[in-house]
Protein backbone atom coordinates (compact mmCIF):
# COMPACT_ATOMS: atom_id res chain seq x y z
CA UNK A 1 0.00 0.00 0.00
CA UNK A 2 2.85 2.39 0.88
CA UNK A 3 4.49 1.67 -2.48
CA UNK A 4 1.27 2.53 -4.31
CA UNK A 5 0.96 5.81 -2.42
CA UNK A 6 4.61 6.65 -3.14
CA UNK A 7 4.16 5.90 -6.84
CA UNK A 8 1.04 8.10 -6.94
CA UNK A 9 2.90 10.98 -5.27
CA UNK A 10 5.79 10.68 -7.73
CA UNK A 11 3.33 10.65 -10.64
CA UNK A 12 1.59 13.81 -9.37
CA UNK A 13 4.94 15.55 -8.90
CA UNK A 14 5.99 14.66 -12.45
CA UNK A 15 2.73 15.98 -13.90
CA UNK A 16 3.08 19.20 -11.90
CA UNK A 17 6.69 19.63 -13.01
CA UNK A 18 5.78 19.16 -16.67
CA UNK A 19 2.93 21.66 -16.38
CA UNK A 20 5.23 24.22 -14.80
CA UNK A 21 7.93 23.65 -17.42
CA UNK A 22 5.98 25.54 -20.09
CA UNK A 23 6.87 29.22 -19.82
CA UNK A 24 5.37 32.12 -21.75
CA UNK A 25 8.16 34.50 -22.76
CA UNK A 26 6.84 37.92 -23.76
CA UNK A 27 8.73 39.85 -26.43
CA UNK A 28 8.31 43.48 -27.46
CA UNK A 29 10.85 45.75 -29.12
CA UNK A 30 9.01 48.82 -27.80
CA UNK A 31 10.95 49.83 -24.69
CA UNK A 32 7.85 51.42 -23.19
CA UNK A 33 6.11 48.04 -23.19
CA UNK A 34 8.32 46.75 -20.40
CA UNK A 35 8.52 43.23 -21.83
CA UNK A 36 11.13 40.84 -20.36
CA UNK A 37 12.66 40.39 -23.84
CA UNK A 38 13.21 42.99 -26.55
CA UNK A 39 14.43 40.50 -29.18
CA UNK A 40 13.06 37.15 -30.25
CA UNK A 41 16.55 35.67 -30.19
CA UNK A 42 16.97 36.58 -26.50
CA UNK A 43 13.69 34.83 -25.71
CA UNK A 44 14.72 31.77 -27.73
CA UNK A 45 18.09 31.61 -25.99
CA UNK A 46 16.34 31.49 -22.62
CA UNK A 47 13.62 29.08 -23.74
CA UNK A 48 13.41 25.35 -23.19
CA UNK A 49 11.37 22.79 -25.12
CA UNK A 50 7.66 23.51 -24.80
CA UNK A 51 7.93 27.25 -24.14
CA UNK A 52 5.75 29.86 -25.84
CA UNK A 53 7.37 32.94 -27.34
CA UNK A 54 4.65 35.61 -27.31
CA UNK A 55 5.62 38.32 -29.82
CA UNK A 56 3.74 41.61 -29.59
CA UNK A 57 2.84 43.66 -32.64
CA UNK A 58 5.14 46.58 -33.39
CA UNK A 59 5.64 49.26 -36.06
CA UNK A 60 9.33 48.31 -35.93
CA UNK A 61 10.57 45.10 -37.53
CA UNK A 62 12.08 42.43 -35.29
CA UNK A 63 15.38 42.25 -37.13
CA UNK A 64 17.58 39.25 -37.84
CA UNK A 65 17.16 35.75 -39.20
CA UNK A 66 15.75 33.24 -36.70
CA UNK A 67 16.91 29.64 -36.46
CA UNK A 68 14.70 27.43 -34.29
CA UNK A 69 16.63 24.64 -32.57
CA UNK A 70 14.14 23.97 -29.77
CA UNK A 71 10.54 22.78 -29.70
CA UNK A 72 8.73 26.06 -29.13
CA UNK A 73 5.61 27.94 -30.16
CA UNK A 74 6.02 31.43 -31.58
CA UNK A 75 2.72 33.28 -31.29
CA UNK A 76 2.13 36.69 -32.86
CA UNK A 77 -1.00 38.85 -32.98
CA UNK A 78 -2.04 37.90 -36.53
CA UNK A 79 -2.24 39.93 -39.72
CA UNK A 80 -4.62 42.41 -41.41
CA UNK A 81 -5.35 43.76 -37.94
CA UNK A 82 -6.09 47.24 -39.30
CA UNK A 83 -8.85 46.11 -41.66
CA UNK A 84 -11.61 46.74 -39.12
CA UNK A 85 -10.84 49.88 -37.15
CA UNK A 86 -11.61 50.13 -33.48
CA UNK A 87 -11.41 46.42 -32.77
CA UNK A 88 -7.71 46.16 -31.90
CA UNK A 89 -5.89 47.90 -29.06
CA UNK A 90 -2.74 47.40 -31.13
CA UNK A 91 -3.22 47.00 -34.87
CA UNK A 92 0.48 46.38 -35.60
CA UNK A 93 1.68 43.05 -36.93
CA UNK A 94 4.77 41.32 -35.56
CA UNK A 95 7.17 41.56 -38.53
CA UNK A 96 10.10 39.13 -38.47
CA UNK A 97 12.94 38.30 -40.83
CA UNK A 98 13.40 34.79 -42.15
CA UNK A 99 12.63 31.73 -40.02
CA UNK A 100 14.35 28.36 -40.29
CA UNK A 101 13.09 25.23 -38.53
CA UNK A 102 16.34 23.38 -37.87
CA UNK A 103 17.51 20.29 -35.97
CA UNK A 104 15.93 20.20 -32.52
CA UNK A 105 12.82 22.17 -33.52
CA UNK A 106 10.60 19.18 -34.39
CA UNK A 107 7.13 19.78 -32.98
CA UNK A 108 7.35 23.57 -33.20
CA UNK A 109 4.48 25.88 -34.10
CA UNK A 110 4.60 29.38 -35.61
CA UNK A 111 1.37 31.41 -35.75
CA UNK A 112 0.25 34.97 -36.27
CA UNK A 113 3.42 36.64 -37.54
CA UNK A 114 4.68 38.27 -40.74
CA UNK A 115 7.89 36.89 -42.19
CA UNK A 116 10.04 37.30 -45.27
CA UNK A 117 10.71 33.59 -45.79
CA UNK A 118 10.51 30.12 -44.28
CA UNK A 119 12.83 27.11 -44.49
CA UNK A 120 11.75 23.77 -43.01
CA UNK A 121 14.41 21.23 -42.05
CA UNK A 122 12.52 19.42 -39.26
CA UNK A 123 9.45 17.21 -38.92
CA UNK A 124 6.12 17.77 -37.14
CA UNK A 125 5.99 21.49 -37.94
CA UNK A 126 2.84 23.62 -37.94
CA UNK A 127 2.99 26.97 -39.75
CA UNK A 128 -0.43 28.61 -39.60
CA UNK A 129 -2.19 31.96 -39.86
CA UNK A 130 0.89 33.89 -40.94
CA UNK A 131 1.61 36.52 -43.59
CA UNK A 132 4.56 35.60 -45.85
CA UNK A 133 6.13 38.10 -48.21
CA UNK A 134 8.76 35.64 -49.40
CA UNK A 135 8.90 31.97 -50.29
CA UNK A 136 8.69 28.74 -48.34
CA UNK A 137 11.17 25.91 -48.86
CA UNK A 138 11.17 22.38 -47.49
CA UNK A 139 14.85 21.57 -47.79
CA UNK A 140 15.25 18.30 -45.84
CA UNK A 141 13.46 14.94 -45.77
CA UNK A 142 10.67 15.46 -43.21
CA UNK A 143 7.17 14.31 -42.30
CA UNK A 144 3.96 15.69 -40.80
CA UNK A 145 4.10 19.29 -42.02
CA UNK A 146 0.99 21.50 -41.76
CA UNK A 147 0.80 24.76 -43.73
CA UNK A 148 -2.61 26.26 -43.04
CA UNK A 149 -4.46 29.57 -42.98
CA UNK A 150 -1.56 31.63 -44.33
CA UNK A 151 -1.45 34.55 -46.75
CA UNK A 152 1.38 34.22 -49.26
CA UNK A 153 1.97 37.53 -51.03
CA UNK A 154 2.59 37.43 -54.77
CA UNK A 155 6.25 38.47 -55.08
CA UNK A 156 7.64 35.99 -57.60
CA UNK A 157 8.50 33.62 -54.77
CA UNK A 158 7.74 29.92 -54.65
CA UNK A 159 6.57 27.14 -52.39
CA UNK A 160 9.43 24.73 -53.03
CA UNK A 161 9.76 21.12 -51.94
CA UNK A 162 13.31 19.95 -52.58
CA UNK A 163 13.40 16.76 -50.48
CA UNK A 164 11.20 13.75 -49.73
CA UNK A 165 8.16 14.67 -47.63
CA UNK A 166 5.67 12.29 -46.05
CA UNK A 167 2.35 13.82 -45.00
CA UNK A 168 2.30 17.42 -46.15
CA UNK A 169 -0.99 19.27 -45.66
CA UNK A 170 -1.47 22.60 -47.46
CA UNK A 171 -4.91 23.93 -46.61
CA UNK A 172 -6.97 27.12 -46.38
CA UNK A 173 -4.20 29.40 -47.63
CA UNK A 174 -4.17 32.28 -50.06
CA UNK A 175 -1.32 31.18 -52.29
CA UNK A 176 0.16 34.11 -54.18
CA UNK A 177 3.18 31.99 -55.10
CA UNK A 178 3.90 29.10 -57.40
CA UNK A 179 4.27 25.49 -56.28
CA UNK A 180 7.45 23.73 -57.34
CA UNK A 181 7.68 20.12 -56.18
CA UNK A 182 11.03 18.78 -57.38
CA UNK A 183 10.16 15.87 -59.69
CA UNK A 184 13.17 13.91 -58.43
CA UNK A 185 11.76 13.62 -54.88
CA UNK A 186 8.68 11.94 -53.40
CA UNK A 187 6.08 14.27 -51.92
CA UNK A 188 2.89 12.88 -50.39
CA UNK A 189 0.79 16.05 -50.14
CA UNK A 190 -2.82 17.07 -49.77
CA UNK A 191 -3.53 20.48 -51.29
CA UNK A 192 -7.05 21.49 -50.33
CA UNK A 193 -9.32 24.51 -49.84
CA UNK A 194 -6.76 27.04 -51.05
CA UNK A 195 -7.07 30.07 -53.31
CA UNK A 196 -4.18 29.87 -55.80
CA UNK A 197 -3.30 32.77 -58.09
CA UNK A 198 -1.75 32.50 -61.59
CA UNK A 199 1.68 30.87 -61.48
CA UNK A 200 3.41 27.89 -63.02
CA UNK A 201 2.53 25.18 -60.53
CA UNK A 202 4.19 21.76 -60.37
CA UNK A 203 2.31 19.61 -57.88
CA UNK A 204 3.05 15.96 -58.57
CA UNK A 205 1.90 12.83 -56.74
CA UNK A 206 -0.61 14.72 -54.60
CA UNK A 207 -4.30 15.03 -53.82
CA UNK A 208 -5.53 18.39 -55.12
CA UNK A 209 -9.11 19.07 -54.05
CA UNK A 210 -11.56 21.91 -53.45
CA UNK A 211 -9.17 24.67 -54.52
CA UNK A 212 -9.84 27.83 -56.50
CA UNK A 213 -7.24 28.47 -59.21
CA UNK A 214 -7.53 32.14 -60.18
CA UNK A 215 -6.17 31.83 -63.69
CA UNK A 216 -7.50 32.17 -67.21
CA UNK A 217 -4.34 30.72 -68.77
CA UNK A 218 -3.95 27.12 -69.79
CA UNK A 219 -1.26 24.65 -68.81
CA UNK A 220 -0.29 26.53 -65.66
CA UNK A 221 -0.42 23.40 -63.57
CA UNK A 222 1.52 20.18 -63.89
CA UNK A 223 -0.31 17.65 -61.76
CA UNK A 224 1.42 14.48 -62.92
CA UNK A 225 0.23 11.41 -60.99
CA UNK A 226 -2.01 13.62 -58.83
CA UNK A 227 -5.70 13.18 -58.07
CA UNK A 228 -7.75 16.29 -58.79
CA UNK A 229 -11.25 16.67 -57.38
CA UNK A 230 -13.78 19.51 -57.15
CA UNK A 231 -11.42 22.34 -58.09
CA UNK A 232 -12.51 25.53 -59.79
CA UNK A 233 -10.44 27.07 -62.56
CA UNK A 234 -10.72 30.51 -64.16
CA UNK A 235 -10.67 28.82 -67.57
CA UNK A 236 -12.64 25.75 -68.56
CA UNK A 237 -9.80 24.84 -70.93
CA UNK A 238 -7.32 24.68 -68.03
CA UNK A 239 -5.43 21.43 -68.17
CA UNK A 240 -6.92 19.05 -65.62
CA UNK A 241 -9.98 21.21 -64.98
CA UNK A 242 -12.57 19.19 -63.12
CA UNK A 243 -15.20 21.76 -62.18
Amino acid sequence: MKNKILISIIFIVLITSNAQAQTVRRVSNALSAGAPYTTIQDALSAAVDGDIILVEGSPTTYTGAISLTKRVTIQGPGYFLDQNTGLQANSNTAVLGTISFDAGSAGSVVRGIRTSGITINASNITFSNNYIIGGLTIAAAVNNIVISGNYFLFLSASFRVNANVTSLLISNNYMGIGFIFDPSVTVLAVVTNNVIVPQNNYIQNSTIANNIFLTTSTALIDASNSTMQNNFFGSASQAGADA
Side-chain angles (χ1 to χ4, degrees), residues 134-146:
L136 186 152
T137 300
I138 299 178
V142 293
N143 59 76
N144 297 325
I145 307 297
V146 176

Side-chain angles (χ1 to χ4, degrees), residues 14-237:
L14 287 173
I15 291 176
T16 304
S17 298
N18 287 335
Q20 292 174 342
Q22 186 181 69
T23 301
V24 177
R25 302 184 184 274
R26 177 174 165 239
V27 181
S28 176
N29 58 10
L31 297 180
S32 60
Y37 304 96
T38 57
T39 72
I40 297 171
Q41 187 55 59
D42 285 346
L44 287 172
S45 296
V48 298
D49 284 351
D51 282 1
I52 299 172
I53 311 298
L54 185 62
V55 185
E56 296 186 359
S58 172
T60 305
T61 299
Y62 291 88
T63 58
I66 296 171
S67 172
L68 299 185
T69 58
K70 301 171 184 177
R71 177 177 54 82
V72 297
T73 294
I74 294 181
Q75 177 69 61
Y79 58 92
F80 295 154
L81 301 178
D82 58 352
Q83 297 297 300
N84 296 295
T85 59
L87 299 181
Q88 301 289 335
N90 181 357
S91 61
N92 293 303
T93 301
V95 183
L96 284 60
T98 59
I99 300 175
S100 180
F101 295 89
D102 294 319
S105 67
S108 291
V109 177
V110 173
R111 293 187 297 242
I113 56 89
R114 175 170 171 165
T115 177
S116 56
I118 297 295
T119 302
I120 297 176
N121 296 308
S123 295
N124 303 311
I125 297 299
T126 298
F127 185 76
S128 65
N129 301 103
N130 302 292
Y131 186 115
I132 301 95
I133 58 175
L136 186 152
T137 300
I138 299 178
V142 293
N143 59 76
N144 297 325
I145 307 297
V146 176
I147 310 296
S148 181
N150 303 288
Y151 184 93
F152 289 85
L153 186 63
F154 178 33
L155 283 177
S156 301
S158 298
F159 187 116
R160 293 180 175 272
V161 180
N162 296 332
N164 295 343
V165 181
T166 303
S167 186
L168 168 61
L169 174 63
I170 304 170
S171 69
N172 300 97
N173 303 282
Y174 178 85
M175 309 295 294
I177 59 178
F179 289 97
I180 302 178
F181 290 6
D182 188 328
S184 68
V185 303
T186 300
V187 183
L188 300 180
V190 174
V191 182
T192 184
N193 299 319
N194 302 284
V195 176
I196 303 171
V197 301
Q199 287 277 2
N200 288 312
N201 294 293
Y202 302 89
I203 314 173
Q204 305 94 349
N205 306 308
S206 302
T207 298
I208 306 169
N210 304 315
N211 301 285
I212 298 173
F213 288 86
L214 297 180
T215 176
T216 57
S217 300
T218 60
L220 283 180
I221 179 169
D222 177 357
S224 302
N225 300 317
S226 291
T227 299
M228 302 190 69
Q229 299 174 330
N230 303 320
N231 299 286
F232 174 83
F233 294 87
S235 171
S237 61

